[in-house]
Amino acid sequence: MVVSLEKEMAANRAKSVTHSLSRKLNPWAVKLKKAPVPDKITFNPKNRPGFYEQGVASRLPEAYFKYNRPFAKPPPLHWIDPGRDYVKDPETGERVQTERMEIPVEYPEESQFGLWGGEGFIYGMKIARKNKRFSPRVPKVWKPHVKTYTLYSEILDKKFELGVTVRVMDLIDEAYGFDFYILKTPAEELNSLAGMILKRFMLLKLAQPETIYPDDLEKRAKILKKYRHYIIPYEEAEWVGLTPGEAVQKQRAIEAAANPDIPLQDTYTKELLSRLREEQEGVFQMKHEEPESKTLLSRLFRRKSEEDEGTPV
């Protein structure tokens, strides 16, 4: 036991000596030890840059955001926001709390290929049996009533068969025509890829008046006068109705045309690939030429040997 205690004391003395020497020789180590411990780094997904905040998408023109409005949400249709938490009852004068619970709506893929007017699927619960006090609740899905209608566009001079809800038909009547409804309604209220594509073609047609009824000048003049408030430049109309992927691809093509300088990596890779192809073609030709040359040589040697054998000594 005494020996072990002496060994521990000697080890502690050696540690203290080395520690004092390191403090004298390396003052920065002492400063680092006295430095405060940094806070724990945590990843916050809310602060992560979005799709339109980095890369090519951050350089998209204002026309894309002006007409497509990717940040806007569809307006609520099945509830009205009172705007405040409490209201005054008109009869009793008491302060009554309002219901500001938004009804969640799910938009299926089919809604993008028709005109649903912002309507979608609503998931909820219903009572299984009517007039039953203790009836259990079962899940239910409320779906919009969609019908296939043939709609005519004056600007495009074409008919389209689309799945349309009753609400959209009422909105078309309120707008005094199918073209007016498509051109007036913003992107978040249309909430339809088909509707935005139709708007794009209509605006492109209006931006090029010579393409509207080329054989009927009177009708062209009437349409241009009728929809004169919706005419925009052709450069802006090209960005209407594009999906994020299509918009990024278009922006890349514009930047590539504006900056034709090709990176050296691309040029070197192309040169290397061309050289490899040439070498492969040369090897392929050699492989096909070698057996033919061998056969010719063998034939010549055979003929010479036959001639030598046939000549008398």
Side-chain angles (χ1 to χ4, degrees):
M1 292 291 291
V2 176
V3 176
S4 62
L5 288 172
E6 289 179 355
K7 287 182 179 180
E8 287 181 3
M9 291 174 66
N12 291 330
R13 287 173 188 170
K15 285 182 181 179
S16 62
V17 170
T18 53
H19 183 66
S20 62
L21 287 171
S22 64
R23 288 183 65 183
K24 291 178 182 178
L25 296 173
N26 192 2
W28 288 102
V30 180
K31 291 181 180 179
L32 288 172
K33 285 182 180 179
K34 292 181 179 179
V37 180
D39 297 333
K40 188 178 179 181
I41 299 171
T42 56
F43 176 72
N44 189 2
K46 293 182 179 179
N47 297 331
R48 185 174 58 184
F51 177 76
Y52 296 102
E53 295 178 5
Q54 57 183 352
V56 183
S58 62
R59 299 191 294 273
L60 291 174
E62 294 182 1
Y64 175 78
F65 298 99
K66 180 180 178 182
Y67 297 103
N68 295 290
R69 300 169 64 86
F71 302 109
K73 294 182 179 180
L77 302 177
H78 305 283
W79 72 291
I80 299 172
D81 188 6
R84 47 188 175 174
D85 297 331
Y86 294 92
V87 293
K88 187 177 180 181
D89 192 352
E91 296 181 358
T92 61
E94 295 180 356
R95 191 185 182 199
V96 182
Q97 187 176 4
T98 59
E99 295 183 2
R100 301 191 69 178
M101 293 293 293
E102 184 178 356
I103 299 174
V105 182
E106 186 174 327
Y107 303 101
E109 188 178 356
E110 292 82 2
S111 65
Q112 298 298 314
F113 302 102
L115 295 174
W116 289 20
E119 293 188 80
F121 293 173
I122 299 174
Y123 295 89
M125 306 292 289
K126 73 167 187 176
I127 299 173
R129 300 175 184 175
K130 292 183 179 180
N131 301 325
K132 295 290 182 180
R133 186 175 179 182
F134 300 103
S135 177
R137 295 195 305 168
V138 294
K140 179 177 172 60
V141 182
W142 285 269
K143 301 178 182 179
H145 188 62
V146 182
K147 281 188 176 182
T148 303
Y149 288 95
T150 302
L151 302 171
Y152 174 71
S153 172
E154 277 186 328
I155 299 172
L156 301 175
D157 193 20
K158 288 182 180 179
K159 295 180 180 179
F160 302 94
E161 288 188 0
L162 297 169
V164 184
T165 59
V166 179
R167 181 175 183 273
V168 171
M169 295 302 294
D170 295 338
L171 292 173
I172 290 172
D173 292 338
E174 290 178 7
Y176 298 100
F178 175 62
D179 293 347
F180 275 120
Y181 167 71
I182 294 293
L183 293 171
K184 281 181 180 179
T185 311
E188 67 272 14
E189 293 185 18
L190 276 176
N191 196 18
S192 169
L193 181 61
M196 291 303 296
I197 291 171
L198 287 171
K199 181 183 281 191
R200 181 172 185 268
F201 282 116
M202 289 178 187
L203 292 173
L204 287 172
K205 202 85 170 176
L206 292 172
Q208 295 176 320
E210 64 276 2
T211 60
I212 302 173
Y213 294 100
D215 300 331
D216 195 347
L217 299 179
E218 292 183 3
K219 197 166 186 179
R220 180 198 297 177
K222 288 180 181 178
I223 286 176
L224 290 174
K225 184 179 179 181
K226 187 176 181 180
Y227 301 99
R228 63 185 181 276
H229 299 293
Y230 304 101
I231 298 174
I232 61 174
Y234 184 82
E235 292 76 13
E236 294 184 5
E238 285 184 331
W239 293 96
V240 179
L242 295 179
T243 60
E246 292 173 348
V248 168
Q249 190 175 2
K250 183 178 177 63
Q251 182 65 22
R252 280 178 181 165
I254 291 170
E255 291 178 358
N259 301 316
D261 296 336
I262 302 171
L264 293 175
Q265 184 179 0
D266 296 343
T267 55
Y268 291 152
T269 50
K270 287 181 180 179
E271 289 179 3
L272 180 61
L273 289 172
S274 62
R275 288 180 183 177
L276 290 172
R277 285 171 187 167
E278 289 176 359
E279 290 178 0
Q280 287 180 356
E281 289 176 358
V283 171
F284 184 74
Q285 290 177 0
M286 289 289 291
K287 285 182 179 179
H288 283 273
E289 289 175 359
E290 281 178 0
E292 294 179 0
S293 61
K294 285 181 181 179
T295 52
L296 289 170
L297 289 170
S298 61
R299 287 176 184 175
L300 289 171
F301 281 118
R302 282 179 185 175
R303 287 179 183 176
K304 285 184 179 181
S305 60
E306 288 175 358
E307 289 176 0
D308 293 337
E309 289 177 359
T311 53
V313 180

